[in-house]
Amino acid sequence: PAKSVHVPPPVPAAGAQGKPLPIDLPTALALANANPLDIQIAGERLRAAAAALDRAKVMWLPNIGVGADYYRHDGQIQDIAGTVFTTSRSSLLVGAGPTAVFPVSEALYAPLAARQVIRARQADVQAARNDATLSVAEAYFTVQQARGEVAGSLDALRRAEELVALTERVAPDLAPTVEVNRAKAEVARRRLAVEAAYERWQVSSADLARVLRLEPGTLVEPAEE
C-alpha cells in the first residue's frame, strides 16, 4: 500500500497584516551586531579605558607650566618715606618650568591596572554581542513559531469549514441538525484562533523589530519554511 505523505499547511502571507520584511536567520544575526545600544555603550567604555591606559603610560613625564603676568599703575602712589607723588609704571613677567609630582607606585602599577580594565571592557563588549545575538535568535524563532501557529490555525479552519460542508450535505438524513450547528460553532472558534495566532505573530515580530531597531510596524516574515 502507498504511504501517505504529510503535507504541511501553506505559509501565510504577511502582506495583509503589516509592512512585510522577508528575512532569514543569518541576516537577522548579522544585524544583531549593527545597531544595539548595549554594544555601542560597551564599545565607548572600551575606548575610554584605552584612553586611561594611554594616560597611565605617560604619568612619569613632567608637566610644563607656562604663565605670564602684566602689571600697570597710573596715578599717585606713596613711597616708603610717606611722600605722595604721581607716576606711571608697568611690568611684564613671563615664566615657564617643568613640574613632576607623582607617586612611584602609581607610575609603575597604573598601566598594569589600566590594561586589566581594558581586558574587562573587551569582555564586556563580547558579552554584549553574545547577549544581543541570543536575544535576536530567541526573538526570531519566536516569530517563526508564531507564523507556524498561524499556518496551523488556517489549516484547522479550512478543515473545520470542510466539516461544516460535509455535515450540511448529510443532514438531516444521516446526521442530526444539531451536528451542523456544532460544526459551525467549531468554525467560529477556529476563526478566533486564527486571529489570535496573527496577533501573536505581530507581537513577536514587534519584539524582533525592537531588538534589531527596525522600522515600527514591520512584520518580519522568515524565509525558512
Side-chain angles (χ1 to χ4, degrees):
K3 295 183 179 180
S4 60
V5 179
H6 173 68
V7 179
V11 177
Q17 299 296 323
K19 301 175 183 178
L21 177 63
I23 192 174
D24 56 5
L25 181 58
T27 303
L29 294 179
L31 291 176
N33 293 327
N35 293 325
L37 294 177
D38 293 340
I39 297 179
Q40 297 179 12
I41 293 174
E44 291 299 328
R45 290 174 177 171
L46 175 60
R47 282 185 282 273
L53 175 61
D54 294 337
R55 180 181 178 183
K57 288 180 179 179
V58 297
M59 184 175 293
W60 58 273
L61 293 176
N63 296 325
I64 298 178
V66 179
D69 186 16
Y70 176 73
Y71 172 79
R72 180 179 178 86
H73 173 80
D74 295 314
Q76 293 183 337
I77 192 172
Q78 186 178 25
D79 61 8
I80 297 176
T83 305
V84 177
F85 60 95
T86 302
T87 184
S88 177
R89 63 181 183 179
S90 62
S91 61
L92 175 65
L93 300 177
V94 178
T99 57
V101 180
F102 60 88
V104 178
S105 58
E106 289 290 333
L108 294 177
Y109 295 107
L112 175 60
R115 291 189 188 95
Q116 294 175 345
V117 172
I118 285 184
R119 294 190 187 98
R121 294 294 178 260
Q122 290 173 343
D124 291 341
V125 172
Q126 187 61 46
R129 289 175 179 171
N130 294 341
D131 292 340
T133 302
L134 176 60
S135 299
V136 169
E138 290 179 343
Y140 185 87
F141 285 119
T142 302
V143 172
Q144 183 69 299
Q145 178 182 356
R147 192 179 62 147
E149 292 175 356
V150 170
S153 299
L154 290 174
D155 186 66
L157 175 60
R158 179 183 60 82
R159 295 176 184 273
E161 291 174 345
E162 292 176 354
L163 179 61
V164 170
L166 178 61
T167 308
E168 288 178 343
R169 284 198 300 267
V170 300
D173 297 333
L174 300 179
T177 307
V178 67
E179 295 298 334
V180 178
N181 297 331
R182 185 177 300 174
K184 290 181 178 179
E186 181 65 21
V187 168
R189 284 195 295 268
R190 293 301 175 182
R191 285 174 180 168
L192 292 177
V194 170
E195 294 299 328
Y198 270 116
E199 290 178 1
R200 288 191 293 271
W201 184 6
Q202 293 169 346
V203 171
S204 59
S205 177
D207 186 59
L208 179 59
R210 176 188 59 81
V211 175
L212 296 180
R213 299 179 65 186
L214 300 176
E215 182 181 359
T218 300
L219 185 62
V220 179
E221 187 176 11
E224 293 86 0
E225 295 183 358

